[in-house]
Amino acid sequence: MKKAISLFLALVMCLSLCACGKSEEAQAVDDMILAIGDVTIDSKDAIAVADDAYNALSEKDKQAIEHYAELTEAKNALKEVMFESLTERLEALNYQCDTVSTFVYLLWDNVGPSNFATYFKCILMFEDENSLDEMKAYYAQKSSGQNGWIANVWCAGNALDSSRYGGVGLGDDELIEEIVGKCIAFTSVFNSLSTTDEELSEDISDFVKAYKNDYPEEAEILREWNLESSMYVEFALEPGGSLVSYGNKKGEYQDTMSRFQKEADSLK
């Protein structure tokens, strides 16, 4: 009789354990959550997959999940990581705009309004090493030959610093290399502004859609800062008006960007 009772109790315990056990689906979700690990900007897809898998579970399976708290923590951590990353990228974009607009202002002041467009166009011709080869080949086919090439270098040099580069000639290899290097460095930043702005705007739009309800302050500050930054990009790429008005507007943008940066830092 005692053996029968013992067997019965063992059977009941086995059945109870089976009833309390997790389904394969629930176990898979727990495994996904544990696999997330330390949250970085690259954790976005893993967290989204785990969250979608959890939401697809039955209510019974959801109750069996052991690591839902970790999933919630991961989602909050991802928001913080993404917010910090986006603010850093906005700061970098603003710095690029500062670099371009400061260069434009100094060039404009140096060569005067009547010559600015000509000199600015000349500087933008120096895009990269490939463009230099193309320019040299182009002038080699013209009657001006090397004189045409050095004329462009001379033009760019005078725009950058007439006291240092104003008398540059064909034999001044070191000075030519210096002039060309500065032009390429500027043009590289100038040409990348639009693409950088577009990519950043898309990522900020995604953040706003995902977090505007749970984190309205962070979403709104990024949205407003992004709009102002995009206008700053357009301002830097298309200089116009007078030198005085350009300088004043440049200062206004810099003050605005600084204000947004401080407001964003207060939310971190």
Side-chain angles (χ1 to χ4, degrees), residues 27 54 63 68 82 129 133 145 148 156 160 162 171 205 212 223 231 260 266:
Q27 184 60 55
Y54 172 81
Q63 294 299 320
Y68 182 71
M82 290 180 64
E129 295 300 331
D133 293 337
L160 291 171
S162 59
S205 178
K212 64 181 178 181
R223 187 190 68 82
M231 288 191 286
F260 276 123
S266 70

Side-chain angles (χ1 to χ4, degrees), residues 8-41:
F8 175 75
L9 290 175
L11 179 60
V12 170
M13 291 179 67
C14 287
L15 291 173
S16 298
L17 288 172
C18 290
C20 294
K22 288 190 291 187
S23 67
E24 292 183 3
E25 290 80 4
Q27 184 60 55
V29 171
D30 262 334
D31 291 341
M32 289 180 191
I33 295 171
L34 291 175
I36 292 171
D38 294 334
V39 175
T40 68
I41 197 68

Side-chain angles (χ1 to χ4, degrees), residues 127-155:
E127 293 182 331
D128 51 40
E129 295 300 331
N130 291 330
S131 69
L132 297 183
D133 293 337
E134 292 172 2
M135 287 172 64
K136 289 178 180 179
Y138 171 79
Y139 285 112
Q141 297 173 358
K142 299 291 184 179
S143 57
S144 54
Q146 286 291 308
N147 290 330
W149 157 250
I150 200 61
N152 274 272
V153 176
W154 178 89
C155 176

Side-chain angles (χ1 to χ4, degrees), residues 225-241:
W225 190 357
N226 180 52
L227 288 174
E228 289 290 336
S229 291
S230 293
M231 288 191 286
Y232 193 15
V233 168
E234 184 177 347
F235 167 82
L237 294 179
E238 299 179 6

Side-chain angles (χ1 to χ4, degrees), residues 30-102:
D30 262 334
D31 291 341
M32 289 180 191
I33 295 171
L34 291 175
I36 292 171
D38 294 334
V39 175
T40 68
I41 197 68
D42 296 322
S43 302
K44 182 178 179 181
D45 290 341
I47 293 173
V49 169
D51 194 39
D52 289 343
Y54 172 81
N55 291 328
L57 292 175
S58 66
E59 290 302 318
K60 180 181 178 181
D61 282 341
K62 286 180 180 178
Q63 294 299 320
I65 296 298
E66 299 177 60
H67 300 286
Y68 182 71
E70 287 95 322
L71 177 59
T72 300
E73 291 175 3
K75 289 162 66 176
N76 291 334
L78 178 63
K79 183 277 300 182
E80 294 175 3
V81 169
M82 290 180 64
F83 182 73
E84 184 171 357
S85 174
L86 290 171
T87 58
E88 288 176 353
R89 290 169 64 188
L90 279 165
E91 290 171 26
L93 178 65
N94 294 162
Y95 179 76
Q96 287 180 296
C97 288
D98 290 344
T99 299
V100 171
S101 59
T102 298

